Amino acid sequence: MSTMTGEAAKFLIVDDSRAIQSIIKRAIEGCNYPKLEIQTATDAEAAMNILEGYRPDLIITDWHMHKISGLEFCQHVCQTYGKKIPIGFVTTESAAEKIDQAYQSGARFVINKPFQDIDLRSKILEIIPVGGITEQPAAIPENLATSHQMLSSMLKGQAFTLEPCPPLGLTDLTENNFIGLFGENGKTPPVNALAIMEMNAVGLLWALNNEKPEMLKTILASGGASNDQLDEARRFMDEFGAGMSIGHKNGPLKLARSSIVSRQFPRLEMSLKSNAGRMDYRINVPEIGTGFITYIKLL
Protein backbone atom coordinates (compact mmCIF):
# COMPACT_ATOMS: atom_id res chain seq x y z
CA MET A 1 0.00 0.00 0.00
CA SER A 2 1.52 3.33 -1.11
CA THR A 3 0.55 5.31 1.98
CA MET A 4 2.53 2.94 4.19
CA THR A 5 5.78 4.06 2.57
CA GLY A 6 4.97 7.76 2.36
CA GLU A 7 4.25 7.52 -1.35
CA ALA A 8 1.10 8.84 -3.00
CA ALA A 9 -2.18 6.99 -2.59
CA LYS A 10 -2.92 5.73 -6.11
CA PHE A 11 -6.34 5.31 -7.71
CA LEU A 12 -7.72 4.22 -11.06
CA ILE A 13 -11.24 5.41 -11.96
CA VAL A 14 -13.00 3.55 -14.78
CA ASP A 15 -16.21 5.19 -16.03
CA ASP A 16 -17.39 6.41 -19.42
CA SER A 17 -18.93 9.51 -17.84
CA ARG A 18 -16.56 12.44 -17.26
CA ALA A 19 -19.07 13.86 -14.79
CA ILE A 20 -19.02 10.68 -12.68
CA GLN A 21 -15.24 10.60 -12.87
CA SER A 22 -15.17 14.14 -11.43
CA ILE A 23 -17.58 13.20 -8.62
CA ILE A 24 -15.47 10.17 -7.67
CA LYS A 25 -12.31 12.31 -7.79
CA ARG A 26 -13.94 14.79 -5.42
CA ALA A 27 -14.76 12.00 -2.95
CA ILE A 28 -11.18 10.69 -3.11
CA GLU A 29 -9.75 14.18 -2.58
CA GLY A 30 -12.04 14.54 0.45
CA CYS A 31 -10.12 11.72 2.15
CA ASN A 32 -7.23 14.20 2.61
CA TYR A 33 -4.34 11.93 1.65
CA PRO A 34 -1.01 13.81 2.00
CA LYS A 35 -0.08 12.70 -1.52
CA LEU A 36 -2.48 11.58 -4.20
CA GLU A 37 -2.29 10.18 -7.73
CA ILE A 38 -5.40 9.49 -9.82
CA GLN A 39 -5.62 8.01 -13.31
CA THR A 40 -8.83 7.58 -15.31
CA ALA A 41 -10.12 5.37 -18.12
CA THR A 42 -13.40 5.50 -20.01
CA ASP A 43 -13.67 1.73 -20.49
CA ALA A 44 -12.26 -1.53 -19.18
CA GLU A 45 -10.03 -2.13 -22.19
CA ALA A 46 -8.25 1.20 -21.62
CA ALA A 47 -8.00 0.41 -17.90
CA MET A 48 -6.29 -2.91 -18.63
CA ASN A 49 -3.72 -1.10 -20.74
CA ILE A 50 -3.08 1.37 -17.90
CA LEU A 51 -2.58 -1.51 -15.44
CA GLU A 52 0.32 -2.83 -17.49
CA GLY A 53 2.45 0.03 -16.14
CA TYR A 54 0.51 1.38 -13.14
CA ARG A 55 -0.34 -0.26 -9.82
CA PRO A 56 -3.16 1.58 -8.05
CA ASP A 57 -4.03 1.01 -4.41
CA LEU A 58 -7.70 0.88 -5.45
CA ILE A 59 -9.72 0.67 -8.65
CA ILE A 60 -13.20 2.21 -8.71
CA THR A 61 -15.18 1.07 -11.73
CA ASP A 62 -18.56 1.36 -13.40
CA TRP A 63 -20.51 -1.77 -14.30
CA HIS A 64 -22.20 -1.04 -17.64
CA MET A 65 -19.48 -0.31 -20.20
CA HIS A 66 -18.88 -1.06 -23.89
CA LYS A 67 -17.11 -4.26 -25.00
CA ILE A 68 -16.00 -5.44 -21.54
CA SER A 69 -18.42 -5.09 -18.63
CA GLY A 70 -17.38 -3.92 -15.19
CA LEU A 71 -18.05 -7.42 -13.83
CA GLU A 72 -15.75 -8.99 -16.43
CA PHE A 73 -13.13 -6.36 -15.66
CA CYS A 74 -13.44 -7.09 -11.92
CA GLN A 75 -12.95 -10.81 -12.58
CA HIS A 76 -9.89 -10.06 -14.74
CA VAL A 77 -8.33 -7.85 -12.07
CA CYS A 78 -8.93 -10.34 -9.25
CA GLN A 79 -7.67 -13.31 -11.28
CA THR A 80 -4.61 -11.44 -12.54
CA TYR A 81 -3.55 -9.46 -9.46
CA GLY A 82 -5.32 -11.25 -6.62
CA LYS A 83 -5.63 -9.10 -3.51
CA LYS A 84 -2.77 -6.83 -4.56
CA ILE A 85 -5.19 -4.45 -6.30
CA PRO A 86 -8.58 -4.02 -4.56
CA ILE A 87 -11.54 -3.10 -6.77
CA GLY A 88 -14.97 -1.65 -6.02
CA PHE A 89 -18.03 -0.58 -7.99
CA VAL A 90 -19.90 2.70 -8.32
CA THR A 91 -22.84 1.75 -10.50
CA THR A 92 -26.54 2.00 -11.33
CA GLU A 93 -26.74 -1.81 -11.19
CA SER A 94 -28.91 -2.73 -8.21
CA ALA A 95 -30.18 -6.27 -8.88
CA ALA A 96 -29.41 -8.43 -5.85
CA GLU A 97 -28.10 -11.35 -7.90
CA LYS A 98 -25.76 -9.03 -9.81
CA ILE A 99 -24.45 -7.48 -6.60
CA ASP A 100 -23.81 -10.99 -5.22
CA GLN A 101 -21.89 -11.81 -8.42
CA ALA A 102 -19.71 -8.76 -7.87
CA TYR A 103 -18.78 -9.79 -4.33
CA GLN A 104 -18.21 -13.40 -5.39
CA SER A 105 -15.90 -12.12 -8.12
CA GLY A 106 -13.79 -10.26 -5.57
CA ALA A 107 -15.27 -6.75 -5.37
CA ARG A 108 -14.63 -4.99 -2.06
CA PHE A 109 -17.73 -2.81 -2.26
CA VAL A 110 -20.68 -1.89 -4.47
CA ILE A 111 -22.13 1.63 -4.20
CA ASN A 112 -25.18 2.63 -6.19
CA LYS A 113 -25.51 5.87 -8.15
CA PRO A 114 -26.50 8.47 -7.13
CA PHE A 115 -24.40 8.40 -3.98
CA GLN A 116 -23.17 10.70 -1.26
CA ASP A 117 -19.45 11.54 -1.12
CA ILE A 118 -19.26 10.27 2.45
CA ASP A 119 -20.50 6.80 1.44
CA LEU A 120 -17.65 6.40 -1.03
CA ARG A 121 -15.08 8.05 1.25
CA SER A 122 -15.99 5.58 4.01
CA LYS A 123 -15.28 2.61 1.75
CA ILE A 124 -12.06 4.13 0.46
CA LEU A 125 -10.75 4.83 3.97
CA GLU A 126 -11.48 1.25 5.04
CA ILE A 127 -9.14 0.03 2.29
CA ILE A 128 -6.55 2.84 2.31
CA PRO A 129 -6.37 4.49 5.76
CA VAL A 130 -4.80 7.94 5.76
CA GLY A 131 -1.18 7.45 6.81
CA GLY A 132 -1.28 3.69 6.22
CA ILE A 133 -2.09 0.89 8.64
CA THR A 134 1.40 0.93 10.20
CA GLU A 135 1.00 4.47 11.47
CA GLN A 136 1.00 4.73 15.26
CA PRO A 137 -2.48 5.58 16.55
CA ALA A 138 -2.93 9.08 17.91
CA ALA A 139 -3.09 9.46 21.66
CA ILE A 140 -6.65 9.46 22.97
CA PRO A 141 -7.59 12.89 24.36
CA GLU A 142 -8.15 12.68 28.11
CA ASN A 143 -11.70 13.98 27.80
CA LEU A 144 -12.62 11.12 25.43
CA ALA A 145 -10.93 8.27 27.32
CA THR A 146 -14.24 6.98 28.70
CA SER A 147 -15.89 7.29 25.28
CA HIS A 148 -13.05 5.29 23.76
CA GLN A 149 -13.42 2.57 26.40
CA MET A 150 -17.18 2.40 25.79
CA LEU A 151 -16.64 2.15 22.05
CA SER A 152 -14.12 -0.66 22.52
CA SER A 153 -16.67 -2.58 24.58
CA MET A 154 -19.47 -2.00 22.06
CA LEU A 155 -17.33 -3.14 19.13
CA LYS A 156 -16.61 -6.46 20.87
CA GLY A 157 -12.85 -6.29 20.59
CA GLN A 158 -12.74 -5.26 16.92
CA ALA A 159 -9.77 -3.06 16.04
CA PHE A 160 -10.91 0.52 15.50
CA THR A 161 -9.85 4.14 15.53
CA LEU A 162 -11.67 7.17 16.90
CA GLU A 163 -9.98 10.24 15.50
CA PRO A 164 -10.68 13.86 14.48
CA CYS A 165 -11.56 14.44 10.84
CA PRO A 166 -12.28 17.46 8.61
CA PRO A 167 -15.64 19.18 9.23
CA LEU A 168 -18.56 17.41 7.57
CA GLY A 169 -20.85 19.40 5.31
CA LEU A 170 -24.54 18.81 4.78
CA THR A 171 -23.91 16.72 1.67
CA ASP A 172 -21.54 14.48 3.65
CA LEU A 173 -24.35 13.31 5.94
CA THR A 174 -26.56 10.33 5.18
CA GLU A 175 -30.15 10.94 4.07
CA ASN A 176 -31.32 10.37 7.66
CA ASN A 177 -29.19 11.07 10.73
CA PHE A 178 -29.41 10.48 14.47
CA ILE A 179 -29.49 13.80 16.34
CA GLY A 180 -29.01 14.36 20.08
CA LEU A 181 -29.77 17.54 22.02
CA PHE A 182 -27.70 18.30 25.13
CA GLY A 183 -28.49 20.42 28.16
CA GLU A 184 -27.35 20.97 31.72
CA ASN A 185 -28.33 17.96 33.86
CA GLY A 186 -29.95 16.47 30.77
CA LYS A 187 -32.65 19.13 30.63
CA THR A 188 -33.74 21.43 27.78
CA PRO A 189 -34.46 24.19 27.00
CA PRO A 190 -32.03 25.73 26.56
CA VAL A 191 -30.21 23.41 24.18
CA ASN A 192 -26.50 23.98 24.79
CA ALA A 193 -25.13 21.58 22.19
CA LEU A 194 -26.12 18.93 19.71
CA ALA A 195 -24.49 15.81 18.27
CA ILE A 196 -25.04 14.40 14.79
CA MET A 197 -24.37 10.71 14.14
CA GLU A 198 -24.87 9.58 10.56
CA MET A 199 -26.39 6.17 9.90
CA ASN A 200 -23.08 4.45 9.09
CA ALA A 201 -22.00 5.04 12.70
CA VAL A 202 -25.40 4.00 14.07
CA GLY A 203 -25.27 0.78 12.07
CA LEU A 204 -21.70 0.00 13.12
CA LEU A 205 -22.46 0.35 16.82
CA TRP A 206 -25.58 -1.81 16.74
CA ALA A 207 -24.38 -4.48 14.31
CA LEU A 208 -21.04 -5.11 16.05
CA ASN A 209 -22.35 -4.80 19.60
CA ASN A 210 -24.93 -7.46 18.75
CA GLU A 211 -22.34 -9.51 16.82
CA LYS A 212 -24.36 -9.23 13.62
CA PRO A 213 -22.03 -7.39 11.20
CA GLU A 214 -24.06 -8.69 8.26
CA MET A 215 -26.97 -6.49 9.45
CA LEU A 216 -24.97 -3.31 8.81
CA LYS A 217 -25.97 -3.27 5.12
CA THR A 218 -29.64 -3.76 6.09
CA ILE A 219 -29.61 -0.72 8.38
CA LEU A 220 -27.88 1.44 5.77
CA ALA A 221 -30.24 0.29 3.01
CA SER A 222 -33.32 1.10 5.13
CA GLY A 223 -32.01 4.59 5.94
CA GLY A 224 -33.31 4.29 9.48
CA ALA A 225 -33.19 2.23 12.66
CA SER A 226 -35.63 0.90 15.23
CA ASN A 227 -35.63 2.25 18.77
CA ASP A 228 -33.80 -0.89 19.92
CA GLN A 229 -31.18 -0.39 17.22
CA LEU A 230 -30.61 3.16 18.47
CA ASP A 231 -29.79 2.09 22.04
CA GLU A 232 -26.05 1.71 21.43
CA ALA A 233 -25.89 4.97 19.46
CA ARG A 234 -27.76 6.80 22.21
CA ARG A 235 -25.46 5.48 24.96
CA PHE A 236 -22.31 6.35 23.04
CA MET A 237 -23.63 9.77 22.05
CA ASP A 238 -24.40 10.60 25.69
CA GLU A 239 -20.89 9.63 26.83
CA PHE A 240 -19.25 11.33 23.84
CA GLY A 241 -21.17 14.57 24.48
CA ALA A 242 -20.24 14.53 28.15
CA GLY A 243 -16.58 14.19 27.23
CA MET A 244 -16.74 16.94 24.64
CA SER A 245 -18.43 19.34 27.08
CA ILE A 246 -15.95 18.96 29.95
CA GLY A 247 -15.17 22.52 30.96
CA HIS A 248 -18.75 23.73 30.58
CA LYS A 249 -19.42 26.29 33.31
CA ASN A 250 -21.94 24.08 35.16
CA GLY A 251 -20.31 20.72 34.46
CA PRO A 252 -20.49 18.28 31.53
CA LEU A 253 -23.70 18.32 29.51
CA LYS A 254 -26.00 15.32 29.28
CA LEU A 255 -28.17 14.02 26.47
CA ALA A 256 -31.70 15.32 26.91
CA ARG A 257 -33.48 13.89 23.87
CA SER A 258 -32.71 12.33 20.53
CA SER A 259 -34.37 11.44 17.26
CA ILE A 260 -33.74 10.60 13.62
CA VAL A 261 -34.10 13.60 11.31
CA SER A 262 -33.75 14.13 7.58
CA ARG A 263 -30.67 15.78 6.15
CA GLN A 264 -33.09 18.34 4.72
CA PHE A 265 -34.10 19.53 8.22
CA PRO A 266 -33.47 23.33 7.98
CA ARG A 267 -31.95 23.77 11.44
CA LEU A 268 -29.42 21.03 10.72
CA GLU A 269 -27.72 23.04 7.98
CA MET A 270 -27.96 26.20 10.10
CA SER A 271 -26.20 24.49 13.02
CA LEU A 272 -23.41 23.16 10.79
CA LYS A 273 -22.68 26.64 9.47
CA SER A 274 -23.36 28.88 12.48
CA ASN A 275 -22.21 27.70 15.91
CA ALA A 276 -19.88 28.38 18.82
CA GLY A 277 -17.47 25.59 17.89
CA ARG A 278 -17.55 22.01 16.64
CA MET A 279 -15.52 18.81 16.53
CA ASP A 280 -15.93 16.07 13.93
CA TYR A 281 -14.75 12.51 14.58
CA ARG A 282 -14.36 9.42 12.41
CA ILE A 283 -15.04 5.91 13.76
CA ASN A 284 -13.24 3.41 11.54
CA VAL A 285 -13.46 -0.38 11.86
CA PRO A 286 -11.09 -1.83 9.22
CA GLU A 287 -12.70 -4.09 6.63
CA ILE A 288 -16.17 -3.43 8.09
CA GLY A 289 -17.11 0.23 7.94
CA THR A 290 -16.56 3.88 8.80
CA GLY A 291 -18.98 6.25 10.51
CA PHE A 292 -18.92 9.87 11.64
CA ILE A 293 -20.13 11.84 14.64
CA THR A 294 -20.13 15.64 15.02
CA TYR A 295 -20.42 17.62 18.26
CA ILE A 296 -21.60 21.22 17.94
CA LYS A 297 -21.72 23.95 20.59
CA LEU A 298 -24.72 26.15 19.95
CA LEU A 299 -24.68 29.93 20.02
Side-chain angles (χ1 to χ4, degrees):
M1 183 180 295
S2 301
T3 54
M4 291 174 63
T5 60
E7 299 176 5
K10 298 177 181 179
F11 294 84
L12 174 59
I13 302 170
V14 189
D15 199 295
D16 56 8
S17 167
R18 300 292 185 187
I20 296 297
Q21 287 184 10
S22 296
I23 292 171
I24 294 174
K25 280 184 181 179
R26 181 183 68 199
I28 294 172
E29 290 166 352
C31 294
N32 295 308
Y33 293 107
K35 299 178 182 178
L36 185 60
E37 186 177 315
I38 302 174
Q39 293 203 27
T40 61
T42 55
D43 58 47
E45 192 171 30
M48 290 178 184
N49 290 332
I50 290 173
L51 288 173
E52 291 180 5
Y54 180 68
R55 289 294 180 270
D57 296 305
L58 176 63
I59 299 171
I60 301 173
T61 184
D62 190 15
W63 188 299
H64 300 288
M65 297 183 289
H66 298 297
K67 296 183 180 180
I68 302 172
S69 72
L71 181 62
E72 292 171 319
F73 177 54
C74 174
Q75 292 167 342
H76 167 79
V77 169
C78 293
Q79 290 169 5
T80 305
Y81 305 102
K83 294 183 179 180
K84 293 180 180 179
I85 304 181
I87 184 169
F89 284 92
V90 172
T91 176
T92 56
E93 182 57 68
S94 59
E97 64 273 16
K98 296 289 188 181
I99 304 302
D100 286 342
Q101 273 187 291
Y103 284 116
Q104 290 170 12
S105 297
R108 296 290 294 273
F109 60 82
V110 179
I111 294 176
N112 286 124
K113 304 172 185 176
F115 62 92
Q116 301 299 322
D117 284 7
I118 195 172
D119 296 331
L120 181 54
R121 286 209 311 266
S122 296
K123 294 299 182 184
I124 292 170
L125 288 166
E126 288 173 32
I127 298 168
I128 314 173
V130 175
I133 59 174
T134 59
E135 183 181 74
Q136 292 297 316
I140 305 303
E142 186 177 344
N143 64 317
L144 290 182
T146 305
S147 299
H148 195 272
Q149 292 170 3
M150 176 180 283
L151 195 55
S152 180
S153 175
M154 286 182 170
L155 298 181
K156 301 294 185 181
Q158 289 276 358
F160 73 94
T161 55
L162 174 65
E163 57 188 0
C165 66
L168 273 64
L170 190 65
T171 58
D172 291 323
L173 300 178
T174 42
E175 188 61 36
N176 292 307
N177 301 273
F178 188 48
I179 308 298
L181 304 182
F182 289 79
E184 294 180 1
N185 300 312
K187 296 180 181 179
T188 58
V191 177
N192 300 102
L194 67 84
I196 306 168
M197 184 183 291
E198 42 81 77
M199 295 308 295
N200 290 289
V202 172
L204 271 176
L205 292 179
W206 183 85
L208 294 182
N209 187 64
N210 289 277
E211 300 183 354
K212 296 180 179 179
E214 71 280 359
M215 290 296 293
L216 177 57
K217 292 180 183 178
T218 302
I219 293 175
L220 298 183
S222 70
S226 67
N227 195 53
D228 287 343
Q229 290 172 332
L230 291 174
D231 282 346
E232 285 81 5
R234 193 176 288 110
R235 285 195 294 123
F236 178 71
M237 181 179 282
D238 191 17
E239 185 59 53
F240 182 81
M244 296 300 292
S245 61
I246 287 177
H248 183 73
K249 60 182 179 179
N250 292 321
L253 302 173
K254 297 296 291 178
L255 184 64
R257 47 200 173 97
S258 58
S259 62
I260 291 180
V261 303
S262 166
R263 186 176 56 198
Q264 309 305 323
F265 185 56
R267 293 194 64 181
L268 191 57
E269 183 175 16
M270 185 187 312
S271 297
L272 287 171
K273 291 182 177 180
S274 179
N275 53 70
R278 59 181 285 184
M279 283 294 294
D280 296 67
Y281 274 77
R282 176 192 298 117
I283 303 169
N284 181 50
V285 183
E287 304 296 331
I288 295 180
T290 300
F292 297 86
I293 181 169
T294 297
Y295 178 83
I296 299 175
K297 297 178 183 178
L298 298 181
L299 297 170

